[in-house]
Structures are given as structure tokens and as C-alpha cells.
Amino acid sequence: MARKIAREQFLAFYDAEGSEAIMTTTVFLLGARANVIEDVRAQLDGSGIEIRSGTSLDELRAAFAEASVDHVIMGSGLDLEVRLRAVRAVFETSNGTTVHMKDWNSGPEGYLPFVQAVLGGLHGSS
């Protein structure tokens, strides 16, 4: 038996001519240092991925209120308690969002390679 899907879901997957549409992946970068996050955003610009970012739980929650977020990638500079609350907020909000946390040892300069590796592993490109 064919699975029924809502019209909105159908339209998200198919364009007006019935061809498969390209779905945009939305990523939220959460980190303690806005300059590091903005640098990563700039280097990923044009990758076909919608990048949202912030340095607080309020900004993370606002992003989820505005749009569907596929992946949250956290930097290591955030306090552990903030990281744990962010994971809880994501999983209480979405059943389809993945959460990825960077290690401390690679420092801020390791954030871009980490983001690229995560996205490359999930989507075959970065």
C-alpha cells in the first residue's frame, strides 16, 4: 500500500513539473566566538547549504522557530552545561536533527575542518 503524504511534503520534494526538487540542507553553527562562526560561514558560502549561526541557546531556539534545521554543529568553546542544554533543546524540538560536537584539543582553528568533515560525511561534499 502506498504511503500517503501531505501536499506540503510532496511539494517539498517535487517542483511544479513533477521533477525531483533539490532540497536545501540547513545547518546551525553554535559557538562561543562569533568571529570564528562567521569565518566558517563565509568559507562555506556558496556551498548550497543554508547556514544559520549563533552564540546562545536563544539564537538556537529562534532558528528552530523560523525554519527546519537539519544539523547543529557546536564548537568546543561553549561551556559544557550550555552544550548539554543545546542538545536537550534540539532533541525536544526535532526528531530529525542531528547534533555534532567538536573536540576541545583542535582549538578554534579546527572548527572549519570539523564542520567540513561532518557535512562531507553526511552529504558527500562540504
Side-chain angles (χ1 to χ4, degrees):
M1 173 182 252
R3 191 176 113 197
K4 283 186 157 183
I5 61 172
R7 177 175 164 72
E8 296 80 24
Q9 289 174 307
F10 176 82
L11 294 175
F13 287 99
Y14 294 93
D15 63 20
E17 297 165 4
S19 301
E20 241 183 272
I22 297 172
M23 303 242 345
T24 301
T25 297
T26 302
V27 175
F28 190 89
L29 303 176
L30 180 62
R33 295 173 52 186
N35 63 322
V36 173
I37 293 172
E38 291 309 313
D39 183 48
V40 170
R41 278 186 76 150
Q43 293 190 53
L44 294 174
D45 192 33
S47 64
I49 296 172
E50 181 180 349
I51 306 289
R52 295 171 177 256
S53 62
T55 58
S56 71
L57 288 174
D58 288 338
E59 289 173 302
L60 176 67
R61 288 183 184 109
F64 274 87
E66 293 171 8
S68 176
V69 176
D70 299 296
H71 312 293
V72 173
I73 304 176
M74 284 187 259
S76 61
L78 295 164
D79 179 70
L80 177 59
E81 189 58 38
V82 172
R83 291 171 75 162
L84 294 173
R85 282 186 280 162
V87 170
R88 177 177 293 284
V90 170
F91 292 145
E92 288 178 344
T93 305
S94 172
N95 290 326
T97 302
T98 63
V99 177
H100 308 272
M101 294 187 278
K102 188 184 122 350
D103 69 290
W104 178 264
N105 290 342
S106 63
E109 59 279 351
Y111 194 50
L112 176 62
F114 178 73
V115 171
Q116 290 172 323
V118 168
L119 296 177
L122 292 169
H123 297 282
S125 65
S126 57

Short mmCIF file of all heavy atoms in Angstrom, two decimals, residues 72-113:
data_model
loop_
_atom_site.label_atom_id
_atom_site.label_comp_id
_atom_site.label_asym_id
_atom_site.label_seq_id
_atom_site.Cartn_x
_atom_site.Cartn_y
_atom_site.Cartn_z
N VAL A 72 22.94 20.53 13.70
CA VAL A 72 23.53 21.53 14.60
C VAL A 72 24.96 21.09 14.84
O VAL A 72 25.21 19.94 15.21
CB VAL A 72 22.75 21.63 15.93
CG1 VAL A 72 23.47 22.55 16.90
CG2 VAL A 72 21.33 22.10 15.68
N ILE A 73 25.89 22.02 14.61
CA ILE A 73 27.30 21.72 14.82
C ILE A 73 27.83 22.71 15.85
O ILE A 73 27.83 23.92 15.62
CB ILE A 73 28.09 21.80 13.50
CG1 ILE A 73 27.47 20.86 12.45
CG2 ILE A 73 29.56 21.47 13.74
CD1 ILE A 73 28.10 20.94 11.08
N MET A 74 28.28 22.17 16.99
CA MET A 74 28.72 23.01 18.10
C MET A 74 30.23 23.06 18.20
O MET A 74 30.90 22.04 18.05
CB MET A 74 28.19 22.45 19.42
CG MET A 74 26.74 22.72 19.65
SD MET A 74 26.27 22.21 21.31
CE MET A 74 25.50 20.65 20.94
N GLY A 75 30.72 24.25 18.50
CA GLY A 75 32.13 24.42 18.80
C GLY A 75 32.42 23.99 20.21
O GLY A 75 31.51 23.79 21.03
N SER A 76 33.69 23.88 20.53
CA SER A 76 34.08 23.40 21.86
C SER A 76 34.23 24.50 22.89
O SER A 76 34.39 24.21 24.07
CB SER A 76 35.40 22.63 21.75
OG SER A 76 36.42 23.49 21.27
N GLY A 77 34.16 25.75 22.46
CA GLY A 77 34.35 26.85 23.40
C GLY A 77 33.17 27.11 24.31
O GLY A 77 33.28 27.85 25.28
N LEU A 78 32.04 26.49 24.00
CA LEU A 78 30.86 26.65 24.84
C LEU A 78 31.04 25.88 26.14
O LEU A 78 31.60 24.78 26.15
CB LEU A 78 29.61 26.13 24.12
CG LEU A 78 29.19 26.88 22.87
CD1 LEU A 78 28.21 26.04 22.06
CD2 LEU A 78 28.59 28.21 23.24
N ASP A 79 30.54 26.45 27.21
CA ASP A 79 30.53 25.78 28.49
C ASP A 79 29.80 24.43 28.35
O ASP A 79 28.81 24.33 27.60
CB ASP A 79 29.81 26.67 29.51
CG ASP A 79 29.74 26.05 30.88
OD1 ASP A 79 30.79 25.95 31.53
OD2 ASP A 79 28.61 25.67 31.27
N LEU A 80 30.25 23.42 29.05
CA LEU A 80 29.64 22.10 28.96
C LEU A 80 28.15 22.15 29.24
O LEU A 80 27.35 21.51 28.55
CB LEU A 80 30.33 21.12 29.92
CG LEU A 80 29.73 19.72 29.97
CD1 LEU A 80 29.76 19.04 28.60
CD2 LEU A 80 30.45 18.88 31.00
N GLU A 81 27.74 22.91 30.24
CA GLU A 81 26.32 22.99 30.57
C GLU A 81 25.50 23.57 29.42
O GLU A 81 24.40 23.12 29.14
CB GLU A 81 26.12 23.80 31.86
CG GLU A 81 24.70 23.74 32.39
CD GLU A 81 24.21 22.33 32.69
OE1 GLU A 81 25.00 21.49 33.18
OE2 GLU A 81 23.02 22.05 32.44
N VAL A 82 26.06 24.55 28.74
CA VAL A 82 25.37 25.15 27.58
C VAL A 82 25.26 24.11 26.46
O VAL A 82 24.20 23.98 25.82
CB VAL A 82 26.12 26.40 27.07
CG1 VAL A 82 25.53 26.90 25.76
CG2 VAL A 82 26.09 27.49 28.13
N ARG A 83 26.31 23.35 26.25
CA ARG A 83 26.28 22.31 25.20
C ARG A 83 25.21 21.26 25.52
O ARG A 83 24.46 20.84 24.65
CB ARG A 83 27.66 21.66 25.06
CG ARG A 83 28.68 22.64 24.48
CD ARG A 83 30.08 22.11 24.53
NE ARG A 83 30.26 21.08 23.50
CZ ARG A 83 31.43 20.68 23.07
NH1 ARG A 83 32.54 21.19 23.56
NH2 ARG A 83 31.53 19.74 22.16
N LEU A 84 25.15 20.86 26.78
CA LEU A 84 24.15 19.87 27.17
C LEU A 84 22.73 20.41 27.02
O LEU A 84 21.82 19.72 26.54
CB LEU A 84 24.40 19.39 28.59
CG LEU A 84 25.71 18.61 28.80
CD1 LEU A 84 25.94 18.35 30.28
CD2 LEU A 84 25.72 17.34 27.99
N ARG A 85 22.53 21.67 27.40
CA ARG A 85 21.21 22.29 27.24
C ARG A 85 20.86 22.44 25.76
O ARG A 85 19.70 22.30 25.38
CB ARG A 85 21.14 23.63 27.96
CG ARG A 85 20.96 23.44 29.47
CD ARG A 85 20.76 24.75 30.17
NE ARG A 85 22.09 25.34 30.33
CZ ARG A 85 22.34 26.60 30.59
NH1 ARG A 85 21.37 27.47 30.72
NH2 ARG A 85 23.57 27.04 30.74
N ALA A 86 21.85 22.70 24.93
CA ALA A 86 21.61 22.81 23.49
C ALA A 86 21.16 21.46 22.91
O ALA A 86 20.22 21.40 22.11
CB ALA A 86 22.86 23.30 22.77
N VAL A 87 21.83 20.40 23.31
CA VAL A 87 21.43 19.06 22.85
C VAL A 87 19.99 18.78 23.28
O VAL A 87 19.17 18.33 22.46
CB VAL A 87 22.39 17.98 23.40
CG1 VAL A 87 21.85 16.58 23.13
CG2 VAL A 87 23.77 18.14 22.80
N ARG A 88 19.68 19.07 24.51
CA ARG A 88 18.31 18.85 25.01
C ARG A 88 17.32 19.68 24.20
O ARG A 88 16.27 19.18 23.79
CB ARG A 88 18.21 19.19 26.49
CG ARG A 88 16.78 19.03 27.04
CD ARG A 88 16.68 19.30 28.52
NE ARG A 88 17.38 18.33 29.34
CZ ARG A 88 16.92 17.10 29.60
NH1 ARG A 88 15.77 16.72 29.11
NH2 ARG A 88 17.60 16.28 30.34
N ALA A 89 17.62 20.94 23.97
CA ALA A 89 16.71 21.82 23.22
C ALA A 89 16.47 21.29 21.81
O ALA A 89 15.34 21.29 21.32
CB ALA A 89 17.27 23.24 23.16
N VAL A 90 17.52 20.83 21.15
CA VAL A 90 17.37 20.30 19.79
C VAL A 90 16.49 19.07 19.80
O VAL A 90 15.53 18.97 19.03
CB VAL A 90 18.75 19.97 19.18
CG1 VAL A 90 18.59 19.19 17.88
CG2 VAL A 90 19.54 21.26 18.93
N PHE A 91 16.77 18.13 20.66
CA PHE A 91 16.03 16.87 20.65
C PHE A 91 14.61 17.02 21.18
O PHE A 91 13.74 16.21 20.85
CB PHE A 91 16.80 15.78 21.39
CG PHE A 91 18.06 15.37 20.65
CD1 PHE A 91 19.19 15.00 21.36
CD2 PHE A 91 18.11 15.34 19.27
CE1 PHE A 91 20.34 14.61 20.69
CE2 PHE A 91 19.26 14.96 18.60
CZ PHE A 91 20.38 14.60 19.31
N GLU A 92 14.35 18.04 21.97
CA GLU A 92 12.98 18.30 22.39
C GLU A 92 12.18 19.01 21.30
O GLU A 92 10.96 18.99 21.32
CB GLU A 92 12.96 19.15 23.67
CG GLU A 92 13.39 18.38 24.88
CD GLU A 92 13.43 19.22 26.16
OE1 GLU A 92 13.43 20.46 26.08
OE2 GLU A 92 13.48 18.60 27.24
N THR A 93 12.89 19.61 20.35
CA THR A 93 12.25 20.36 19.28
C THR A 93 12.09 19.56 17.99
O THR A 93 11.14 19.77 17.25
CB THR A 93 13.08 21.64 18.97
OG1 THR A 93 13.24 22.37 20.19
CG2 THR A 93 12.40 22.51 17.95
N SER A 94 13.02 18.67 17.72
CA SER A 94 13.05 17.98 16.43
C SER A 94 13.42 16.51 16.57
O SER A 94 14.32 16.17 17.33
CB SER A 94 14.07 18.67 15.52
OG SER A 94 14.27 17.93 14.34
N ASN A 95 12.76 15.70 15.78
CA ASN A 95 13.11 14.27 15.70
C ASN A 95 14.03 13.98 14.53
O ASN A 95 14.47 12.86 14.34
CB ASN A 95 11.85 13.42 15.57
CG ASN A 95 11.04 13.41 16.83
OD1 ASN A 95 11.57 13.46 17.93
ND2 ASN A 95 9.72 13.37 16.69
N GLY A 96 14.32 15.00 13.72
CA GLY A 96 15.10 14.77 12.51
C GLY A 96 16.40 15.53 12.44
O GLY A 96 17.07 15.52 11.41
N THR A 97 16.78 16.19 13.51
CA THR A 97 18.00 17.00 13.51
C THR A 97 19.14 16.21 14.16
O THR A 97 18.95 15.58 15.19
CB THR A 97 17.78 18.31 14.30
OG1 THR A 97 16.71 19.02 13.70
CG2 THR A 97 19.03 19.17 14.29
N THR A 98 20.31 16.27 13.53
CA THR A 98 21.49 15.64 14.12
C THR A 98 22.29 16.71 14.86
O THR A 98 22.26 17.89 14.50
CB THR A 98 22.39 14.97 13.06
OG1 THR A 98 22.90 15.96 12.17
CG2 THR A 98 21.62 13.92 12.29
N VAL A 99 23.03 16.29 15.89
CA VAL A 99 23.85 17.20 16.69
C VAL A 99 25.28 16.68 16.68
O VAL A 99 25.51 15.49 16.92
CB VAL A 99 23.33 17.30 18.14
CG1 VAL A 99 24.24 18.18 18.98
CG2 VAL A 99 21.90 17.81 18.17
N HIS A 100 26.22 17.59 16.44
CA HIS A 100 27.64 17.22 16.35
C HIS A 100 28.43 18.19 17.22
O HIS A 100 28.25 19.40 17.13
CB HIS A 100 28.11 17.29 14.90
CG HIS A 100 27.21 16.51 14.00
ND1 HIS A 100 27.39 15.17 13.73
CD2 HIS A 100 26.07 16.88 13.35
CE1 HIS A 100 26.41 14.76 12.94
NE2 HIS A 100 25.60 15.77 12.70
N MET A 101 29.32 17.64 18.07
CA MET A 101 30.11 18.47 18.97
C MET A 101 31.60 18.28 18.69
O MET A 101 32.10 17.17 18.68
CB MET A 101 29.80 18.10 20.42
CG MET A 101 28.38 18.44 20.81
SD MET A 101 28.06 18.22 22.56
CE MET A 101 27.75 16.47 22.63
N LYS A 102 32.28 19.41 18.49
CA LYS A 102 33.71 19.42 18.20
C LYS A 102 34.51 19.18 19.48
O LYS A 102 34.09 19.56 20.57
CB LYS A 102 34.09 20.77 17.59
CG LYS A 102 35.52 20.83 17.06
CD LYS A 102 35.82 22.22 16.58
CE LYS A 102 36.96 22.91 17.23
NZ LYS A 102 37.62 22.43 18.38
N ASP A 103 35.67 18.59 19.30
CA ASP A 103 36.58 18.36 20.43
C ASP A 103 37.23 19.67 20.88
O ASP A 103 37.24 20.66 20.14
CB ASP A 103 37.68 17.37 20.02
CG ASP A 103 38.62 17.99 19.02
OD1 ASP A 103 38.22 18.22 17.86
OD2 ASP A 103 39.77 18.29 19.39
N TRP A 104 37.76 19.67 22.06
CA TRP A 104 38.42 20.85 22.62
C TRP A 104 39.84 21.02 22.07
O TRP A 104 40.28 22.13 21.78
CB TRP A 104 38.46 20.72 24.14
CG TRP A 104 39.16 21.86 24.81
CD1 TRP A 104 40.46 21.91 25.20
CD2 TRP A 104 38.59 23.12 25.16
NE1 TRP A 104 40.74 23.13 25.78
CE2 TRP A 104 39.60 23.89 25.76
CE3 TRP A 104 37.33 23.68 25.01
CZ2 TRP A 104 39.39 25.18 26.21
CZ3 TRP A 104 37.12 24.97 25.48
CH2 TRP A 104 38.14 25.70 26.06
N ASN A 105 40.57 19.93 21.90
CA ASN A 105 42.00 19.98 21.60
C ASN A 105 42.35 20.64 20.28
O ASN A 105 43.42 21.23 20.16
CB ASN A 105 42.61 18.58 21.64
CG ASN A 105 42.67 18.03 23.05
OD1 ASN A 105 42.59 18.78 24.02
ND2 ASN A 105 42.80 16.72 23.17
N SER A 106 41.49 20.58 19.27
CA SER A 106 41.84 21.16 17.97
C SER A 106 41.68 22.68 17.93
O SER A 106 42.08 23.32 16.97
CB SER A 106 41.03 20.51 16.85
OG SER A 106 39.65 20.75 17.03
N GLY A 107 41.11 23.25 18.98
CA GLY A 107 41.01 24.71 19.08
C GLY A 107 40.11 25.33 18.04
O GLY A 107 39.52 24.65 17.20
N PRO A 108 39.99 26.67 18.06
CA PRO A 108 39.11 27.36 17.13
C PRO A 108 39.47 27.12 15.66
O PRO A 108 38.59 27.05 14.80
CB PRO A 108 39.29 28.84 17.48
CG PRO A 108 39.85 28.87 18.85
CD PRO A 108 40.62 27.58 19.02
N GLU A 109 40.77 26.95 15.40
CA GLU A 109 41.19 26.72 14.01
C GLU A 109 40.73 25.35 13.50
O GLU A 109 40.72 25.10 12.30
CB GLU A 109 42.70 26.86 13.85
CG GLU A 109 43.54 25.94 14.70
CD GLU A 109 43.71 26.39 16.16
OE1 GLU A 109 43.34 27.50 16.53
OE2 GLU A 109 44.24 25.56 16.92
N GLY A 110 40.29 24.48 14.38
CA GLY A 110 39.79 23.17 13.97
C GLY A 110 38.30 23.15 13.67
O GLY A 110 37.77 22.13 13.22
N TYR A 111 37.62 24.29 13.86
CA TYR A 111 36.16 24.32 13.66
C TYR A 111 35.78 24.13 12.19
O TYR A 111 34.93 23.31 11.88
CB TYR A 111 35.58 25.61 14.23
CG TYR A 111 34.07 25.59 14.39
CD1 TYR A 111 33.43 24.53 15.02
CD2 TYR A 111 33.29 26.62 13.92
CE1 TYR A 111 32.05 24.52 15.19
CE2 TYR A 111 31.91 26.62 14.08
CZ TYR A 111 31.30 25.56 14.71
OH TYR A 111 29.94 25.54 14.86
N LEU A 112 36.43 24.88 11.28
CA LEU A 112 36.10 24.73 9.86
C LEU A 112 36.36 23.31 9.37
O LEU A 112 35.48 22.70 8.74
CB LEU A 112 36.84 25.75 9.00
CG LEU A 112 36.61 25.61 7.49
CD1 LEU A 112 35.14 25.81 7.13
CD2 LEU A 112 37.51 26.58 6.73
N PRO A 113 37.54 22.73 9.62
CA PRO A 113 37.75 21.34 9.18
C PRO A 113 36.73 20.37 9.77
O PRO A 113 36.30 19.43 9.11
CB PRO A 113 39.17 21.01 9.66
CG PRO A 113 39.84 22.32 9.80
CD PRO A 113 38.77 23.30 10.20
#
